[in-house]
Structure formats: structure tokens, C-alpha cells
């Protein structure tokens, strides 16, 4: 593989980290900032490829400490932690792992929506706490089928969610940067417009600066006390403080969240609410999908090392 040298940036799936170490003799970027600075001064110029995940990414500062970097290979579809503009300026390619996780993330969105509206997790806790024989039947919850669902971000994952929920008889509308030409769903020009016409708002937009806070305090207010928010995208797309306040005050019917602004930190004020479902960012987390993501990550790495091109560039 010529003069190539591979750097692992941040924790990765153990089998992927193992392959990188054994088959590619990859180095691992140290965690502590003192060690990291010393490592980069000594060895920064060696590396031509960095393998990372959405959790860590390669920012502009790290990129400039890796002057011979040619590619950032990202395990995951979201790459908001990598500075794509800086990469472009430097002629560094960036790849991600699209398509292979679409089904699992869409499954998660639908599962989370059902759990949130029907309160299955909370009902399970009710049974386990021995409350059924003592307190009687569980309170009534909200119907999922035939609801009006708004999707923010009608990309691959957004479309897969829409298809699934169409089978539930849900009426789908969406907001996207641009109207999607072949979409069968009603377009809303803004998140606010979308929120005013739906029972459930599902966030499926990419993270990053262009979508930061798109689900604002005003959008949450528009959803209102009968509305639900589901987020399987990135915590940054939602004003999390406003969301927590609305949930605590009963100004929103409920929320299902797989992602948060400062993972793995989750607002503890939400822990006691039965109308809120909290997942530890498991959207793509099945054996099958993670194996496919790993394989695509390695295909991108191999392709870059052999030909200088990426299989799935962003
Ligand atoms: C991964 C994700 O868990 O693909 C993404 O963007 O958020 C998830 O599939 C994550 O990237 C792994 O770090």
C-alpha cells in the first residue's frame, strides 16, 4: 500500500479497531491532549488516511496537524463532527456509510414513535414495579395509526420512515432544504409550518451548522400540548433546553429521543416522565447493520489506499 499510513481517531467498533491495527498497522491518536500534541508533533506528517466515527470526527485543527492527510473515512452516515469545508480546502476526501443503515434507523424511528405514543416502555416499568394488581389498568395512551406525521429532512432515512408510516395509514408531510421532486408527500416551507399541521414531528435531518436549532422553541410551541417530537438524527437539530422545559411544563405531549446535544449526557429531569422515551443512540445498532457499516468503512479505506478515490464520498 505504498507509503500510506493510517490513523484511528476516537473509539471505533472493536472489530474495526482490531482490523485497522492488525491489517493496516494503524496508529491510534492518543486521548489526552498533552500526549496528543506530542504524538502529532512527532508523527503527524506520517498519516494519509484517518478513520473515525460521527462521535469523534476530524476537526480543522486536527486536519492541520496532519499535513499529508488525503482522506477522512467516517464510520456512520452523519459526519457533522468532521470539518468538511476545511477538508475541501485542503483537498482531503471525506467518506461516510450511507444506505446500509437506512432500514435500521428508520425502524428505530417508527419503534420510538410507537413506544412514545403508546408508552410501552413506561407500561413495562408499571408491570415490573408490581403496580398492575395494585393500581389497576394502565392509563389510556395515543393512537399511532392514521396520525399526521411531519418529517424534517426527507433524505434516504426520512423517506424510509415515510414509507413505513404510510403503511400505518399516517398522513405524511415534510420539510426539507429543497422540495423533493418525486415525493408523494405534502411539502411545508418551514419547520414552523410543518409543526402547525401535524401530531408527530420526526427529525431525520443531517446535523451540523446548517440545521442547528431548526426545531426551535417556537416550533416546539407550535407542536403544542397534543404534539410529539421524535428525534433519531442529531441532538443539535433541536433546542434541547426548550424541549426539556416544554416537556416538564406539559406544553408538549411527549418525546422519543435517540440522540442528545451532549452524548452520553441525557437531561435527568426527563427520567421520571412516562411520556418520554430515552434511547442511548442505538438507531443503527444491530449486528447486521454495524457489520455492513464496518465493511463499507473498510471498502472506502482500501479504495483510497489503492486508488486514491473513495467509494462513498460525501
Ligand atoms: C452511529 C450514527 O452510531 O451513522 C450515524 O450517523 O449516528 C450512527 O449510525 C455513529 O455514527 C457511530 O459513531
Amino acid at each position: 500500500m505504498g507509503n500510506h499510513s493510517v490513523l484511528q481517531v476516537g473509539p471505533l467498533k472493536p472489530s474495526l479497531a482490531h482490523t485497522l491495527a492488525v491489517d493496516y498497522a494503524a496508529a491510534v491518536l492518543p486521548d489526552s491532549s498533552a500526549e496528543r500534541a506530542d504524538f502529532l508533533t512527532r508523527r503527524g506528517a506520517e498519516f494519509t488516511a484517518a478513520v473515525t466515527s460521527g462521535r469523534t470526527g476530524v476537526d480543522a485543527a486536527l486536519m492541520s496537524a496532519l499535513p499529508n492527510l488525503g482522506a477522512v473515512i467516517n464510520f456512520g452516515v452523519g459526519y457533522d463532527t468532521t470539518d468538511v469545508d476545511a477538508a475541501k480546502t485542503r483537498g482531503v476526501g471525506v467518506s461516510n456509510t450511507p444506505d446500509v443503515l437506512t432500514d435500521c434507523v428508520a425502524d428505530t424511528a417508527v419503534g420510538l414513535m410507537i413506544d412514545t405514543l403508546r408508552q410501552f416502555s413506561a407500561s413495562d416499568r408499571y408491570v415490573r414495579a408490581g403496580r398492575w394488581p395494585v393500581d389497576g389498568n394502565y392509563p389510556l395512551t395515543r393512537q399511532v395509526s392514521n396520525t399526521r406525521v411531519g418529517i424534517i429532512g426527507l433524505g434516504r432515512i426520512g423517506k424510509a420512515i415515510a414509507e413505513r408510516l404510510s403503511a400505518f395509514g399516517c398522513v405524511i408531510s415534510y420539510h426539507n432544504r429543497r422540495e423533493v421532486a418525486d415525493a408523494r408527500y405534502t411539502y411545508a416551507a418551514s419547520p414552523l409550518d410543518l409543526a402547525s399541521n401535524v401530531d408527530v414531528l420526526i427529525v431525520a435531518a443531517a446535523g451540523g451548522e446548517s440545521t442547528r436549532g431548526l426545531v426551535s422553541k417556537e416550533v416546539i410551541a407550535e407542536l403544542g400540548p397534543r404534539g410529539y417530537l421524535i428525534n433519531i438524527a442529531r441532538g443539535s437539530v433541536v433546542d434541547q433546553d426548550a424541549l426539556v422545559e416544554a416537556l416538564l411544563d406539559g406544553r408538549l405531549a411527549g418525546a422519543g429521543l435517540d440522540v442528545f446535544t451532549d452524548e452520553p449526557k441525557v437531561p435527568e429531569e426527563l427520567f421520571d416522565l412516562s411520556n418520554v422515551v430515552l434511547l442511548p443512540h442505538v438507531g443503527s445498532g444491530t449486528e447486521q447493520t454495524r457489520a455492513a457499516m464496518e465493511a463499507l468503512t473498510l471498502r472506502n479505506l482500501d479504495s483510497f489506499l489503492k486508488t486514491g478515490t473513495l467509494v462513498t464520498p460525501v
Side-chain angles (χ1 to χ4, degrees), residues 11-13 52-56 74-80 96-98 101 105 157 232-234 258-259 263 280-285 289-290 293:
L12 291 173
K13 185 172 185 275
T52 188
S53 78
R55 219 168 119 183
T56 315
N74 186 59
F75 175 89
V77 72
Y79 48 87
D80 46 308
N96 65 345
T97 60
L101 46 61
V105 178
I157 293 171
I232 48 77
R234 284 292 181 265
D258 185 41
V259 289
E263 294 172 11
H281 199 149
V282 294
S284 67
T289 285
R290 288 287 168 84
M293 290 163 67

mmCIF file of all heavy atoms in Angstrom, residues 11-13 52-56 74-80 96-98 101 105 157 232-234 258-259 263 280-285 289-290 293, ligand 1:
data_model
loop_
_atom_site.group_PDB
_atom_site.id
_atom_site.type_symbol
_atom_site.label_atom_id
_atom_site.label_comp_id
_atom_site.label_asym_id
_atom_site.label_seq_id
_atom_site.Cartn_x
_atom_site.Cartn_y
_atom_site.Cartn_z
ATOM 1 N N PRO A 11 -12.708 6.321 19.532
ATOM 2 C CA PRO A 11 -13.049 4.904 19.673
ATOM 3 C C PRO A 11 -13.860 4.413 18.473
ATOM 4 O O PRO A 11 -14.644 5.156 17.895
ATOM 5 C CB PRO A 11 -13.904 4.857 20.954
ATOM 6 C CG PRO A 11 -14.338 6.250 21.208
ATOM 7 C CD PRO A 11 -13.377 7.175 20.541
ATOM 8 N N LEU A 12 -13.631 3.169 18.094
ATOM 9 C CA LEU A 12 -14.379 2.565 16.993
ATOM 10 C C LEU A 12 -14.892 1.204 17.441
ATOM 11 O O LEU A 12 -14.432 0.665 18.453
ATOM 12 C CB LEU A 12 -13.476 2.404 15.764
ATOM 13 C CG LEU A 12 -13.043 3.688 15.044
ATOM 14 C CD1 LEU A 12 -12.021 3.370 13.951
ATOM 15 C CD2 LEU A 12 -14.238 4.417 14.439
ATOM 16 N N LYS A 13 -15.806 0.657 16.679
ATOM 17 C CA LYS A 13 -16.291 -0.710 16.889
ATOM 18 C C LYS A 13 -15.066 -1.602 17.100
ATOM 19 O O LYS A 13 -14.126 -1.544 16.289
ATOM 20 C CB LYS A 13 -17.064 -1.100 15.623
ATOM 21 C CG LYS A 13 -17.761 -2.428 15.649
ATOM 22 C CD LYS A 13 -18.621 -2.539 14.396
ATOM 23 C CE LYS A 13 -19.452 -3.797 14.394
ATOM 24 N NZ LYS A 13 -18.789 -4.978 13.881
ATOM 25 N N THR A 52 -12.450 7.406 11.459
ATOM 26 C CA THR A 52 -13.100 7.961 12.643
ATOM 27 C C THR A 52 -14.578 7.609 12.626
ATOM 28 O O THR A 52 -15.024 6.832 11.781
ATOM 29 C CB THR A 52 -12.876 9.492 12.676
ATOM 30 O OG1 THR A 52 -13.347 10.015 13.915
ATOM 31 C CG2 THR A 52 -13.596 10.214 11.531
ATOM 32 N N SER A 53 -15.344 8.171 13.565
ATOM 33 C CA SER A 53 -16.797 7.962 13.551
ATOM 34 C C SER A 53 -17.469 9.298 13.813
ATOM 35 O O SER A 53 -16.812 10.265 14.200
ATOM 36 C CB SER A 53 -17.207 6.970 14.638
ATOM 37 O OG SER A 53 -17.219 7.626 15.885
ATOM 38 N N GLY A 54 -18.792 9.324 13.654
ATOM 39 C CA GLY A 54 -19.564 10.539 13.902
ATOM 40 C C GLY A 54 -19.380 11.047 15.321
ATOM 41 O O GLY A 54 -19.560 12.227 15.598
ATOM 42 N N ARG A 55 -19.053 10.151 16.208
ATOM 43 C CA ARG A 55 -18.861 10.517 17.610
ATOM 44 C C ARG A 55 -17.653 11.430 17.806
ATOM 45 O O ARG A 55 -17.621 12.264 18.683
ATOM 46 C CB ARG A 55 -18.617 9.215 18.375
ATOM 47 C CG ARG A 55 -19.263 9.158 19.716
ATOM 48 C CD ARG A 55 -19.176 7.740 20.206
ATOM 49 N NE ARG A 55 -18.421 7.665 21.446
ATOM 50 C CZ ARG A 55 -18.143 6.534 22.069
ATOM 51 N NH1 ARG A 55 -18.512 5.381 21.540
ATOM 52 N NH2 ARG A 55 -17.484 6.537 23.193
ATOM 53 N N THR A 56 -16.616 11.251 16.987
ATOM 54 C CA THR A 56 -15.358 11.971 17.189
ATOM 55 C C THR A 56 -15.079 12.920 16.017
ATOM 56 O O THR A 56 -15.019 14.134 16.183
ATOM 57 C CB THR A 56 -14.182 10.975 17.333
ATOM 58 O OG1 THR A 56 -14.577 9.922 18.204
ATOM 59 C CG2 THR A 56 -12.954 11.681 17.887
ATOM 60 N N ASN A 74 -15.229 7.957 7.511
ATOM 61 C CA ASN A 74 -16.142 8.056 8.647
ATOM 62 C C ASN A 74 -17.037 6.827 8.748
ATOM 63 O O ASN A 74 -17.752 6.497 7.803
ATOM 64 C CB ASN A 74 -16.985 9.331 8.479
ATOM 65 C CG ASN A 74 -17.867 9.606 9.676
ATOM 66 O OD1 ASN A 74 -17.372 9.765 10.785
ATOM 67 N ND2 ASN A 74 -19.161 9.640 9.459
ATOM 68 N N PHE A 75 -17.001 6.190 9.916
ATOM 69 C CA PHE A 75 -17.907 5.086 10.229
ATOM 70 C C PHE A 75 -19.215 5.715 10.698
ATOM 71 O O PHE A 75 -19.287 6.261 11.790
ATOM 72 C CB PHE A 75 -17.272 4.225 11.328
ATOM 73 C CG PHE A 75 -18.139 3.109 11.844
ATOM 74 C CD1 PHE A 75 -18.111 1.859 11.252
ATOM 75 C CD2 PHE A 75 -18.969 3.302 12.939
ATOM 76 C CE1 PHE A 75 -18.908 0.825 11.737
ATOM 77 C CE2 PHE A 75 -19.773 2.271 13.431
ATOM 78 C CZ PHE A 75 -19.729 1.029 12.827
ATOM 79 N N GLY A 76 -20.241 5.679 9.852
ATOM 80 C CA GLY A 76 -21.517 6.324 10.178
ATOM 81 C C GLY A 76 -21.941 7.197 9.017
ATOM 82 O O GLY A 76 -21.095 7.633 8.226
ATOM 83 N N VAL A 77 -23.233 7.447 8.922
ATOM 84 C CA VAL A 77 -23.713 8.295 7.821
ATOM 85 C C VAL A 77 -23.526 9.773 8.153
ATOM 86 O O VAL A 77 -23.271 10.596 7.284
ATOM 87 C CB VAL A 77 -25.185 7.949 7.456
ATOM 88 C CG1 VAL A 77 -26.163 8.419 8.529
ATOM 89 C CG2 VAL A 77 -25.564 8.536 6.111
ATOM 90 N N GLY A 78 -23.656 10.124 9.432
ATOM 91 C CA GLY A 78 -23.509 11.515 9.860
ATOM 92 C C GLY A 78 -22.041 11.868 10.033
ATOM 93 O O GLY A 78 -21.288 11.113 10.639
ATOM 94 N N TYR A 79 -21.648 13.019 9.483
ATOM 95 C CA TYR A 79 -20.230 13.400 9.555
ATOM 96 C C TYR A 79 -20.094 14.842 10.042
ATOM 97 O O TYR A 79 -19.170 15.548 9.673
ATOM 98 C CB TYR A 79 -19.547 13.190 8.200
ATOM 99 C CG TYR A 79 -20.325 13.768 7.041
ATOM 100 C CD1 TYR A 79 -20.166 15.087 6.672
ATOM 101 C CD2 TYR A 79 -21.252 12.981 6.358
ATOM 102 C CE1 TYR A 79 -20.912 15.636 5.643
ATOM 103 C CE2 TYR A 79 -22.018 13.523 5.325
ATOM 104 C CZ TYR A 79 -21.832 14.841 4.973
ATOM 105 O OH TYR A 79 -22.578 15.387 3.963
ATOM 106 N N ASP A 80 -21.045 15.270 10.879
ATOM 107 C CA ASP A 80 -21.053 16.655 11.345
ATOM 108 C C ASP A 80 -19.880 16.986 12.268
ATOM 109 O O ASP A 80 -19.598 18.164 12.505
ATOM 110 C CB ASP A 80 -22.387 16.987 12.028
ATOM 111 C CG ASP A 80 -22.842 15.915 13.003
ATOM 112 O OD1 ASP A 80 -22.890 14.734 12.609
ATOM 113 O OD2 ASP A 80 -23.141 16.253 14.157
ATOM 114 N N ASN A 96 -18.520 8.506 4.063
ATOM 115 C CA ASN A 96 -19.401 8.078 5.158
ATOM 116 C C ASN A 96 -19.989 6.706 4.793
ATOM 117 O O ASN A 96 -19.521 6.077 3.837
ATOM 118 C CB ASN A 96 -20.483 9.138 5.419
ATOM 119 C CG ASN A 96 -21.439 9.309 4.250
ATOM 120 O OD1 ASN A 96 -21.161 8.849 3.141
ATOM 121 N ND2 ASN A 96 -22.547 9.975 4.487
ATOM 122 N N THR A 97 -20.974 6.266 5.557
ATOM 123 C CA THR A 97 -21.558 4.933 5.271
ATOM 124 C C THR A 97 -23.073 5.056 5.044
ATOM 125 O O THR A 97 -23.866 4.660 5.884
ATOM 126 C CB THR A 97 -21.288 3.937 6.419
ATOM 127 O OG1 THR A 97 -21.887 4.455 7.633
ATOM 128 C CG2 THR A 97 -19.811 3.720 6.648
ATOM 129 N N PRO A 98 -23.468 5.619 3.902
ATOM 130 C CA PRO A 98 -24.900 5.782 3.633
ATOM 131 C C PRO A 98 -25.558 4.449 3.247
ATOM 132 O O PRO A 98 -24.862 3.451 3.049
ATOM 133 C CB PRO A 98 -24.910 6.741 2.435
ATOM 134 C CG PRO A 98 -23.640 6.437 1.715
ATOM 135 C CD PRO A 98 -22.636 6.077 2.788
ATOM 136 N N LEU A 101 -27.391 1.700 6.589
ATOM 137 C CA LEU A 101 -28.060 1.830 7.893
ATOM 138 C C LEU A 101 -29.474 2.399 7.791
ATOM 139 O O LEU A 101 -30.166 2.531 8.795
ATOM 140 C CB LEU A 101 -27.209 2.667 8.862
ATOM 141 C CG LEU A 101 -26.584 3.968 8.378
ATOM 142 C CD1 LEU A 101 -27.603 4.969 7.947
ATOM 143 C CD2 LEU A 101 -25.669 4.531 9.430
ATOM 144 N N VAL A 105 -32.234 2.555 10.996
ATOM 145 C CA VAL A 105 -32.526 3.853 11.621
ATOM 146 C C VAL A 105 -34.017 4.186 11.438
ATOM 147 O O VAL A 105 -34.670 4.693 12.359
ATOM 148 C CB VAL A 105 -31.608 4.964 11.068
ATOM 149 C CG1 VAL A 105 -31.957 6.304 11.693
ATOM 150 C CG2 VAL A 105 -30.145 4.629 11.342
ATOM 151 N N ILE A 157 -33.094 8.384 4.899
ATOM 152 C CA ILE A 157 -33.726 7.877 6.127
ATOM 153 C C ILE A 157 -35.135 8.440 6.269
ATOM 154 O O ILE A 157 -36.079 7.706 6.594
ATOM 155 C CB ILE A 157 -32.840 8.209 7.350
ATOM 156 C CG1 ILE A 157 -31.520 7.414 7.265
ATOM 157 C CG2 ILE A 157 -33.566 7.885 8.650
ATOM 158 C CD1 ILE A 157 -30.464 7.802 8.284
ATOM 159 N N ILE A 232 -34.241 11.010 15.729
ATOM 160 C CA ILE A 232 -33.272 9.929 15.520
ATOM 161 C C ILE A 232 -32.059 10.465 14.737
ATOM 162 O O ILE A 232 -31.246 9.683 14.246
ATOM 163 C CB ILE A 232 -33.879 8.720 14.772
ATOM 164 C CG1 ILE A 232 -34.665 9.147 13.520
ATOM 165 C CG2 ILE A 232 -34.784 7.904 15.675
ATOM 166 C CD1 ILE A 232 -33.892 9.520 12.320
ATOM 167 N N ALA A 233 -31.944 11.809 14.635
ATOM 168 C CA ALA A 233 -30.918 12.386 13.762
ATOM 169 C C ALA A 233 -29.701 12.850 14.573
ATOM 170 O O ALA A 233 -28.750 12.077 14.783
ATOM 171 C CB ALA A 233 -31.527 13.536 12.967
ATOM 172 N N ARG A 234 -29.748 14.096 15.011
ATOM 173 C CA ARG A 234 -28.696 14.647 15.867
ATOM 174 C C ARG A 234 -29.354 15.555 16.894
ATOM 175 O O ARG A 234 -30.280 16.306 16.562
ATOM 176 C CB ARG A 234 -27.692 15.471 15.048
ATOM 177 C CG ARG A 234 -26.713 14.659 14.218
ATOM 178 C CD ARG A 234 -25.716 13.883 15.094
ATOM 179 N NE ARG A 234 -24.756 13.123 14.307
ATOM 180 C CZ ARG A 234 -24.884 11.831 13.971
ATOM 181 N NH1 ARG A 234 -25.935 11.138 14.356
ATOM 182 N NH2 ARG A 234 -23.941 11.225 13.265
ATOM 183 N N ASP A 258 -33.462 9.488 20.524
ATOM 184 C CA ASP A 258 -32.327 8.558 20.417
ATOM 185 C C ASP A 258 -31.016 9.329 20.436
ATOM 186 O O ASP A 258 -29.946 8.737 20.486
ATOM 187 C CB ASP A 258 -32.448 7.736 19.116
ATOM 188 C CG ASP A 258 -31.373 6.651 18.998
ATOM 189 O OD1 ASP A 258 -31.075 5.995 20.021
ATOM 190 O OD2 ASP A 258 -30.819 6.474 17.889
ATOM 191 N N VAL A 259 -31.116 10.660 20.328
ATOM 192 C CA VAL A 259 -29.911 11.497 20.215
ATOM 193 C C VAL A 259 -30.052 12.739 21.097
ATOM 194 O O VAL A 259 -31.165 13.206 21.337
ATOM 195 C CB VAL A 259 -29.675 11.917 18.742
ATOM 196 C CG1 VAL A 259 -29.235 10.736 17.903
ATOM 197 C CG2 VAL A 259 -30.935 12.540 18.153
ATOM 198 N N GLU A 263 -23.970 13.920 24.082
ATOM 199 C CA GLU A 263 -23.966 12.487 24.424
ATOM 200 C C GLU A 263 -22.636 12.107 25.061
ATOM 201 O O GLU A 263 -21.606 12.627 24.648
ATOM 202 C CB GLU A 263 -24.209 11.671 23.141
ATOM 203 C CG GLU A 263 -25.601 11.915 22.583
ATOM 204 C CD GLU A 263 -25.795 11.282 21.204
ATOM 205 O OE1 GLU A 263 -24.939 10.494 20.762
ATOM 206 O OE2 GLU A 263 -26.797 11.594 20.567
ATOM 207 N N PRO A 280 -30.147 5.281 24.094
ATOM 208 C CA PRO A 280 -28.740 5.680 24.067
ATOM 209 C C PRO A 280 -28.124 5.617 22.665
ATOM 210 O O PRO A 280 -27.129 4.929 22.450
ATOM 211 C CB PRO A 280 -28.086 4.667 25.020
ATOM 212 C CG PRO A 280 -28.920 3.445 24.870
ATOM 213 C CD PRO A 280 -30.325 3.907 24.598
ATOM 214 N N HIS A 281 -28.658 6.374 21.719
ATOM 215 C CA HIS A 281 -28.171 6.455 20.340
ATOM 216 C C HIS A 281 -27.931 5.062 19.746
ATOM 217 O O HIS A 281 -26.802 4.677 19.419
ATOM 218 C CB HIS A 281 -26.879 7.301 20.269
ATOM 219 C CG HIS A 281 -26.572 7.804 18.889
ATOM 220 N ND1 HIS A 281 -25.925 8.993 18.659
ATOM 221 C CD2 HIS A 281 -26.824 7.268 17.671
ATOM 222 C CE1 HIS A 281 -25.774 9.172 17.354
ATOM 223 N NE2 HIS A 281 -26.310 8.129 16.734
ATOM 224 N N VAL A 282 -29.039 4.335 19.607
ATOM 225 C CA VAL A 282 -28.956 2.952 19.121
ATOM 226 C C VAL A 282 -29.540 2.795 17.713
ATOM 227 O O VAL A 282 -29.719 1.666 17.240
ATOM 228 C CB VAL A 282 -29.681 1.969 20.074
ATOM 229 C CG1 VAL A 282 -28.970 1.894 21.407
ATOM 230 C CG2 VAL A 282 -31.153 2.360 20.277
ATOM 231 N N GLY A 283 -29.833 3.900 17.036
ATOM 232 C CA GLY A 283 -30.522 3.844 15.743
ATOM 233 C C GLY A 283 -29.994 2.800 14.782
ATOM 234 O O GLY A 283 -30.748 2.027 14.197
ATOM 235 N N SER A 284 -28.692 2.776 14.584
ATOM 236 C CA SER A 284 -28.106 1.825 13.629
ATOM 237 C C SER A 284 -27.563 0.581 14.337
ATOM 238 O O SER A 284 -26.907 -0.255 13.704
ATOM 239 C CB SER A 284 -26.969 2.493 12.851
ATOM 240 O OG SER A 284 -25.890 2.783 13.731
ATOM 241 N N GLY A 285 -27.858 0.469 15.630
ATOM 242 C CA GLY A 285 -27.137 -0.516 16.449
ATOM 243 C C GLY A 285 -27.623 -1.938 16.403
ATOM 244 O O GLY A 285 -27.977 -2.505 17.440
ATOM 245 N N THR A 289 -26.416 -4.338 10.700
ATOM 246 C CA THR A 289 -26.134 -3.011 10.151
ATOM 247 C C THR A 289 -24.731 -2.545 10.518
ATOM 248 O O THR A 289 -24.005 -1.988 9.682
ATOM 249 C CB THR A 289 -27.219 -2.012 10.608
ATOM 250 O OG1 THR A 289 -28.382 -2.289 9.848
ATOM 251 C CG2 THR A 289 -26.817 -0.574 10.357
ATOM 252 N N ARG A 290 -24.334 -2.779 11.760
ATOM 253 C CA ARG A 290 -22.993 -2.334 12.137
ATOM 254 C C ARG A 290 -21.917 -3.109 11.350
ATOM 255 O O ARG A 290 -20.873 -2.552 10.995
ATOM 256 C CB ARG A 290 -22.783 -2.478 13.653
ATOM 257 C CG ARG A 290 -23.572 -1.440 14.452
ATOM 258 C CD ARG A 290 -22.975 -0.037 14.346
ATOM 259 N NE ARG A 290 -23.878 0.973 14.866
ATOM 260 C CZ ARG A 290 -24.001 1.318 16.152
ATOM 261 N NH1 ARG A 290 -23.250 0.712 17.073
ATOM 262 N NH2 ARG A 290 -24.852 2.239 16.523
ATOM 263 N N MET A 293 -21.795 -1.464 8.011
ATOM 264 C CA MET A 293 -21.108 -0.164 8.127
ATOM 265 C C MET A 293 -19.594 -0.369 8.209
ATOM 266 O O MET A 293 -18.808 0.373 7.605
ATOM 267 C CB MET A 293 -21.597 0.592 9.373
ATOM 268 C CG MET A 293 -23.026 1.098 9.266
ATOM 269 S SD MET A 293 -23.748 1.555 10.874
ATOM 270 C CE MET A 293 -22.769 2.983 11.319
HETATM 271 C C1 LIG B 1 -23.596 5.605 14.581
HETATM 272 C C2 LIG B 1 -24.919 7.474 13.505
HETATM 273 O O1 LIG B 1 -23.952 5.116 15.821
HETATM 274 O O2 LIG B 1 -24.401 6.875 11.312
HETATM 275 C C3 LIG B 1 -24.610 7.772 12.095
HETATM 276 O O3 LIG B 1 -24.553 8.967 11.756
HETATM 277 O O4 LIG B 1 -25.262 8.340 14.255
HETATM 278 C C4 LIG B 1 -24.866 6.073 13.982
HETATM 279 O O5 LIG B 1 -25.174 5.198 12.979
HETATM 280 C C5 LIG B 1 -22.484 6.537 14.785
HETATM 281 O O6 LIG B 1 -22.086 7.235 13.669
HETATM 282 C C6 LIG B 1 -21.278 5.756 15.260
HETATM 283 O O7 LIG B 1 -20.412 6.600 15.861
#
